[in-house]
Amino acid sequence: MFNIGVAQSGGPTVAINSSLAGVFCEAAKHSEIDKVYGFYNGIEGVLHDECVDLSEKLRTEEDVERLRCTPSTALGSCRHKLRTDNDDELRNVLETFERHNIGAFFYIGGNDSMDTVHKLSKYFKKLGKDIKVVGIPKTIDNDLVGTDHTPGFGSAAKYIASTMQEIIRDSQVYCLTSVTVVEIMGRDAGWLTAATSVLRVNGEIAPHLIYLPEVPVTKEKILEDIKKAHEKYKAVIVAVSEGIKTPDGKYLAEDNQSGAVDNFGHKYLSGVGKYLENLIKTELSCKVRSIELNVMQRCSSLIASQTDLDEAMQIGGEAVKFALDGKTGVMAVFERISDNPYEIGISCADIEKIANQEKLFPKEWINEDKNNILDDAIGYFLPLIQGEVKPFMSNGLPTHIKL
Amino acid sequence: MFNIGVAQSGGPTVAINSSLAGVFCEAAKHSEIDKVYGFYNGIEGVLHDECVDLSEKLRTEEDVERLRCTPSTALGSCRHKLRTDNDDELRNVLETFERHNIGAFFYIGGNDSMDTVHKLSKYFKKLGKDIKVVGIPKTIDNDLVGTDHTPGFGSAAKYIASTMQEIIRDSQVYCLTSVTVVEIMGRDAGWLTAATSVLRVNGEIAPHLIYLPEVPVTKEKILEDIKKAHEKYKAVIVAVSEGIKTPDGKYLAEDNQSGAVDNFGHKYLSGVGKYLENLIKTELSCKVRSIELNVMQRCSSLIASQTDLDEAMQIGGEAVKFALDGKTGVMAVFERISDNPYEIGISCADIEKIANQEKLFPKEWINEDKNNILDDAIGYFLPLIQGEVKPFMSNGLPTHIKL
């Protein structure tokens, strides 16, 4: 009998707690697993040995349901990159795990978190330690390789598309020539921005222009596109990824940036929406508004996708089974069997092929004029946003669990 | 037998179409009313005689339900201030109404729209024309005098509080000293910002600081308050109205403003959140993020208040009855009979006492240190955010009606 550990890492999503619930519930089914320790603030909580026996916090089925519906990371998060220039941190992790008799560790996170899974599993193997390390995918960005999609993406896409539709309603009320620029997360991968095209399935024409980081673009081209769109539509709606780039590889709004980088060397971004707002105001002299969906697109569970939350729970549970089957240094992944009827399988992939890589939006789903998404992509997106999860309400407000 | 006209004006809300549905449904109950004409883009549609017989668009009960759940103004809107330097525009309105045999006109809007109700009713009285003009309140700002609250406010408050709670979850995931500034609409009245205090009813401590336009504040005071809050909380959350002012009456972020004004002479505002973000980053050297809830706070029906939508429909219906009772130059208003159990009455008030005025947030509900809201206000807010309206869904997305 052994205990298992679980932690959450990277940016919050609406589905990451559902994966945590999946790990917890699956573990309860296996007699060889005793306690499930939740480590606070990702790998930092492991380094500092800060954890909680989850059964103390999740006492009833309702507690588990409430966890599933709570957005953001209930155990906290981190953006810590494990040091490998010496073994201090890796040894520190091992000591914590041995102290708690941890036989398997599950790390729910994105690209950078899979780097941690990779390093830990390699280290434990090298020392001949029988501690399995399994990654559970999580990111609204949908940019992990080796998996059809990532838990968290469906809910973010559903929120963004629904909110975009409301912004379209809002922007069309006045009889004015106008431009509304909606800035959506996505540094290098444009999945979330592209997902606004699903509105077409219900007859919505806007957003009229969609720009992704995958396709370089100049400010002149964007202004030209807007002018052309204004010939047909008074209120032009533009969906734009935060990370759109010029042909020379620079961020379009680079002049506006601070130049600061995070621990993984990524540039801090903000403001391509504001940048375009000012540009359009100056060059086209019409009413312009820019809207940044900001953290709401990753943390709002007002319209979470039932499919996303169910799958997130399921893949958390499967990860436990993979570890019990002796797998380590792997990430649980989705394989799409068919779009319609939607069918998905879960398997696992070697973490070496996944860590520190990015899956970009396919170029073949972008139109020839490089300013919109082809209908072919909609069949991919649609199944991921089906069904709604009603939040737990109290006093007219959603309630969240705290671990 | 006569027809009636209805139009929507000012900024969109989530409840304004419910009031439109209220007018339509009540009219159907009265044999003296024949058609209900919806004029597009507020009073501009009257001036240009652009209207629709609503029975052509609202054929079934489901159509009406869908209208109730559609955010923003289904008939479009305007910010047109009726000219009174000569009678051209007023005469133009009269001609349109006589052409369509309009016996009563209902204008759903805020402060500025009530100015239109006032001018039209006075003009028709002066000419001895039997056309009733009745205002139906609408504004997320809750700043109309003479009514306990305004339709649209409850849903906006519910959205803002719920979203604020998600932002709190998001901002607390990292083990970092941080400040999150959430900028909320409210040029002169801080009702929406103050409504974030309702989260306390479910045990949420944040937002730790709340600043309203009603109480002048300096940047030094805000920085001092944040420093003090950091002694107790790592992740400090600040809710701030877009229109907070310094003791000399200037907007705090005035240096950042364009100086542009709208047709009613109001300054265009943006950026107090960004202003504070930069200020805090420079002065306190910690992680700072600012979030603007932007148009989503007025147009998102992802978590509309059932109470708000029901009351909006009801007050639309009552307005029709007031006109049939011979009332003109009035606005339908809510009178609160009790908080708990919540009980409300609907009467009407003389438009002269309402137009072009603002109801501010009561000073006695603000704490002594002028940076938070007292619990006394929560009893006022709570009844207005009760119940949720589920959007009409199709293909995993909310659907909207178009008129």
Side-chain angles (χ1 to χ4, degrees):
Chain A
M1 219 173 178
F2 56 89
N3 302 318
I4 65 172
V6 59
Q8 300 172 312
S9 172
T13 79
V14 165
I16 191 167
N17 291 330
S18 198
S19 289
L20 179 61
V23 169
F24 179 78
C25 292
E26 185 62 36
K29 295 181 196 159
H30 300 273
S31 57
E32 56 268 55
I33 300 176
D34 186 11
K35 289 186 191 313
V36 180
Y37 285 108
F39 287 90
Y40 290 111
N41 295 106
I43 202 66
E44 286 180 2
V46 179
L47 290 169
H48 304 133
D49 199 354
E50 289 167 352
C51 62
V52 59
D53 173 353
L54 284 177
S55 66
E56 287 172 15
K57 300 283 182 170
L58 303 172
R59 292 177 183 275
T60 64
E61 273 185 38
E62 199 196 294
D63 288 342
V64 173
E65 258 315 299
R66 194 183 293 266
L67 174 64
R68 263 168 59 82
C69 299
T70 297
S72 189
T73 56
L75 286 171
S77 183
C78 71
R79 290 203 179 273
H80 186 90
K81 200 174 169 75
L82 267 185
R83 292 182 62 170
T84 47
D85 49 346
N86 61 58
D87 279 0
D88 287 359
E89 287 200 342
L90 292 167
R91 198 177 319 118
N92 203 332
V93 170
L94 178 63
E95 282 166 12
T96 300
F97 284 173
E98 291 192 325
R99 199 174 307 126
H100 292 287
N101 189 28
I102 301 285
F105 177 65
F106 302 90
Y107 209 34
I108 317 173
N111 277 317
D112 299 326
S113 315
M114 294 311 137
D115 176 74
T116 301
V117 171
H118 182 44
K119 284 173 183 165
L120 286 180
S121 58
K122 221 167 73 176
Y123 180 69
F124 296 152
K125 270 186 211 163
K126 194 181 79 179
L127 298 192
K129 298 288 176 184
D130 186 23
I131 303 174
K132 312 284 188 275
V133 188
V134 177
I136 299 169
K138 172 276 344 173
T139 168
I140 61 163
D141 292 327
N142 203 36
D143 62 350
L144 282 174
V145 300
T147 183
D148 175 73
H149 60 278
T150 55
F153 172 68
S155 292
K158 188 178 179 99
Y159 174 86
I160 290 168
S162 303
T163 302
M164 173 63 87
Q165 188 177 215
E166 295 173 330
I167 291 170
I168 294 166
R169 283 293 83 67
D170 189 278
S171 68
Q172 292 174 337
V173 301
Y174 299 118
C175 259
L176 288 170
T177 300
S178 68
V179 182
T180 304
V181 180
V182 183
E183 179 185 326
I184 296 164
M185 283 181 175
R187 204 182 261 127
D188 298 307
W191 293 97
L192 287 172
T193 308
T196 58
S197 62
V198 296
L199 290 173
R200 243 179 271 155
V201 82
N202 287 344
E204 197 73 65
I205 296 162
H208 307 98
L209 298 166
I210 300 177
Y211 299 103
L212 312 186
E214 283 84 350
V215 184
V217 71
T218 63
K219 58 182 188 179
E220 291 78 14
K221 169 76 163 70
I222 293 177
L223 289 170
E224 238 6 88
D225 287 350
I226 292 171
K227 273 190 222 163
K228 227 179 274 174
H230 266 151
E231 290 168 15
K232 285 175 84 175
Y233 310 104
K234 278 207 139 188
V236 168
I237 319 287
V238 185
V240 58
S241 292
E242 59 179 342
I244 54 169
K245 297 173 192 73
T246 52
D248 59 1
K250 285 190 183 155
Y251 289 115
L252 188 74
E254 193 126 10
D255 294 346
N256 279 17
Q257 305 307 328
S258 63
V261 292
D262 69 12
N263 287 343
F264 294 90
H266 304 143
K267 279 193 187 185
Y268 272 124
L269 283 185
S270 81
V272 67
K274 234 346 154 207
Y275 169 83
L276 286 174
E277 178 184 326
N278 290 328
L279 177 75
I280 296 162
K281 211 174 266 169
T282 312
E283 299 291 327
L284 305 183
S285 313
C286 65
K287 183 178 152 78
V288 194
R289 187 192 285 275
S290 69
I291 297 166
E292 197 184 338
L293 296 186
N294 216 309
V295 299
M296 289 82 86
Q297 64 200 296
R298 72 181 186 195
C299 71
S300 178
S301 57
L302 298 183
I303 191 159
S305 156
Q306 179 83 54
T307 303
D308 184 31
L309 262 55
D310 288 350
E311 287 184 348
M313 180 144 182
Q314 212 186 335
I315 203 167
E318 291 298 314
V320 172
K321 291 190 210 161
F322 290 139
L324 291 176
D325 284 349
K327 301 269 201 316
T328 187
V330 294
M331 181 180 85
V333 297
F334 290 124
E335 280 167 18
R336 191 176 299 214
I337 298 155
S338 80
D339 279 351
N340 192 8
Y342 178 58
E343 216 184 317
I344 210 90
I346 298 178
S347 60
C348 66
D350 192 343
I351 201 76
E352 276 194 68
K353 295 182 184 140
I354 291 165
N356 303 314
Q357 291 183 66
E358 280 178 316
K359 185 179 72 177
L360 301 182
F361 187 78
K363 291 235 163 97
E364 60 268 28
W365 285 349
I366 298 172
N367 70 342
E368 214 178 314
D369 209 12
K370 299 188 189 318
N371 57 17
N372 217 320
I373 303 303
L374 297 176
D375 284 351
D376 305 354
I378 296 177
Y380 169 83
F381 289 129
L382 267 188
L384 311 181
I385 63 167
Q386 297 307 305
E388 293 78 51
V389 181
K390 203 182 170 318
F392 272 79
M393 303 300 293
S394 176
N395 293 307
L397 296 162
T399 60
H400 302 155
I401 203 170
K402 287 171 197 171
L403 296 182
Chain B
M1 218 171 178
F2 56 89
N3 302 319
I4 65 171
V6 58
Q8 302 172 312
S9 173
T13 78
V14 165
I16 191 167
N17 290 331
S18 197
S19 289
L20 179 61
V23 169
F24 179 78
C25 292
E26 186 62 34
K29 295 181 195 157
H30 300 273
S31 57
E32 57 268 56
I33 299 175
D34 185 12
K35 288 186 190 313
V36 182
Y37 286 109
F39 287 90
Y40 290 111
N41 296 107
I43 202 67
E44 286 181 2
V46 179
L47 291 169
H48 303 131
D49 199 354
E50 288 167 352
C51 62
V52 61
D53 174 353
L54 284 177
S55 66
E56 288 171 15
K57 300 284 182 171
L58 304 172
R59 291 176 183 277
T60 64
E61 272 184 41
E62 199 195 295
D63 288 341
V64 174
E65 259 314 299
R66 195 184 292 266
L67 175 63
R68 265 169 57 82
C69 299
T70 296
S72 189
T73 56
L75 286 171
S77 182
C78 71
R79 291 205 178 271
H80 186 90
K81 198 174 169 76
L82 268 185
R83 292 182 60 170
T84 46
D85 49 345
N86 62 56
D87 278 1
D88 287 0
E89 286 199 342
L90 293 166
R91 198 179 317 116
N92 202 333
V93 170
L94 178 62
E95 281 166 13
T96 301
F97 284 173
E98 291 191 326
R99 199 175 306 124
H100 293 286
N101 189 29
I102 300 286
F105 176 65
F106 302 90
Y107 209 34
I108 317 173
N111 277 317
D112 299 327
S113 316
M114 294 310 136
D115 176 73
T116 301
V117 171
H118 182 45
K119 284 172 182 166
L120 285 180
S121 58
K122 221 166 75 175
Y123 179 69
F124 295 153
K125 270 185 207 161
K126 194 180 78 180
L127 298 191
K129 298 289 177 184
D130 186 23
I131 304 173
K132 311 286 188 276
V133 188
V134 177
I136 299 169
K138 171 277 344 172
T139 169
I140 61 163
D141 292 327
N142 202 36
D143 62 349
L144 281 174
V145 300
T147 184
D148 175 75
H149 60 278
T150 55
F153 171 69
S155 292
K158 189 178 178 99
Y159 175 86
I160 290 168
S162 303
T163 302
M164 173 63 87
Q165 188 177 215
E166 296 173 330
I167 291 170
I168 295 167
R169 281 296 82 68
D170 189 279
S171 68
Q172 292 174 337
V173 300
Y174 298 118
C175 257
L176 287 170
T177 300
S178 68
V179 181
T180 304
V181 180
V182 182
E183 179 185 326
I184 297 164
M185 282 182 175
R187 204 181 259 125
D188 298 309
W191 294 97
L192 287 171
T193 308
T196 58
S197 62
V198 296
L199 290 173
R200 242 178 274 156
V201 82
N202 286 344
E204 196 73 65
I205 296 162
H208 308 98
L209 298 166
I210 301 177
Y211 298 102
L212 312 186
E214 284 84 349
V215 184
V217 70
T218 62
K219 59 182 187 178
E220 291 78 15
K221 169 77 162 71
I222 294 177
L223 289 170
E224 236 10 84
D225 288 350
I226 292 172
K227 273 190 222 163
K228 226 180 273 173
H230 266 151
E231 290 168 14
K232 283 174 85 175
Y233 309 105
K234 279 207 138 186
V236 168
I237 318 286
V238 184
V240 58
S241 292
E242 59 179 341
I244 55 168
K245 297 174 191 73
T246 52
D248 60 0
K250 285 190 184 152
Y251 290 115
L252 187 74
E254 194 126 14
D255 294 345
N256 279 19
Q257 306 306 328
S258 64
V261 293
D262 69 12
N263 288 341
F264 293 91
H266 304 144
K267 279 194 187 186
Y268 273 123
L269 283 185
S270 81
V272 67
K274 238 338 156 207
Y275 169 83
L276 286 173
E277 179 185 326
N278 289 328
L279 177 74
I280 296 162
K281 212 175 267 172
T282 311
E283 299 291 327
L284 305 184
S285 313
C286 64
K287 183 178 151 77
V288 194
R289 186 192 286 275
S290 70
I291 298 165
E292 198 184 338
L293 295 186
N294 217 308
V295 299
M296 288 82 86
Q297 63 200 296
R298 72 182 187 195
C299 72
S300 178
S301 58
L302 298 183
I303 192 159
S305 156
Q306 179 83 55
T307 302
D308 184 32
L309 261 56
D310 287 351
E311 287 184 349
M313 180 144 183
Q314 212 187 336
I315 203 167
E318 292 298 314
V320 173
K321 292 191 209 160
F322 290 139
L324 292 175
D325 283 352
K327 301 268 199 321
T328 187
V330 294
M331 182 180 85
V333 297
F334 290 124
E335 281 167 16
R336 190 175 300 213
I337 298 155
S338 79
D339 279 352
N340 191 7
Y342 178 57
E343 216 183 319
I344 210 91
I346 298 178
S347 61
C348 66
D350 193 342
I351 200 78
E352 277 194 68
K353 296 182 183 140
I354 291 164
N356 302 315
Q357 291 183 66
E358 280 178 314
K359 187 179 72 176
L360 300 182
F361 186 78
K363 291 238 163 93
E364 60 268 29
W365 285 349
I366 297 171
N367 71 342
E368 215 178 315
D369 208 13
K370 299 190 189 320
N371 57 17
N372 217 321
I373 305 303
L374 298 176
D375 284 350
D376 305 355
I378 295 175
Y380 170 83
F381 288 129
L382 265 189
L384 311 181
I385 63 166
Q386 297 307 305
E388 293 78 50
V389 181
K390 201 182 170 317
F392 272 78
M393 303 299 293
S394 176
N395 291 308
L397 296 161
T399 61
H400 302 154
I401 202 170
K402 287 170 196 172
L403 297 180

